[in-house]
Amino acid sequence: MVLYETLRLYSAVPLIVRRATTGADHCGVKVPKGTLLLIPIAMLHRDEEVWGADAGAFNPLQFRDGIGRAAMHLNALLSFFLGPRSCIGQDFAMPDNCNLC
Ligand code: HEM
């Protein structure tokens, strides 16, 4: 829980960059093909709408029921990012006995 909370507030990777390979429409926001997207993980991990009013506080206990229940959104913890280019070393970085994942 302490490791996950540390990754949330002090992520080793605070910003991810992706380029849109096709055009897309995200809830009315048009993203043309080729657009460079900056995904500010450090800011998203401090979003009070997602992590609660005390989002800026160091509170490992919010992970006591697992990563999926720590925030308002199942995939809110982005430290290793998501999808096909997410971190392949996640299992090396985290302890073997981590049963929260
Ligand atoms: C706390 C430790 C770590 C964190 C927070 C972390 C985080 C990340 C993140 C966010 C990405 C995606 C970067 C991007 O797409 O721009 C990534 C990619 C990657 N990570 Fe990690 N990582 C960690 C440890 C490791 C370890 C221990 C290894 C290897 C043993 C590793 C190997 C890789 C590789 C090879 C990629 C590129 C994957 C790809 O592009 O398909 N990481 N990591």
Side-chain angles (χ1 to χ4, degrees), residues 7 12-13 16 18 78-81 84-89 92-93:
L7 283 170
V13 181
I16 291 269
R18 292 284 187 267
L78 299 170
S79 303
F80 296 102
F81 214 57
R85 300 307 297 267
S86 64
C87 179
I88 61 168
F92 293 117

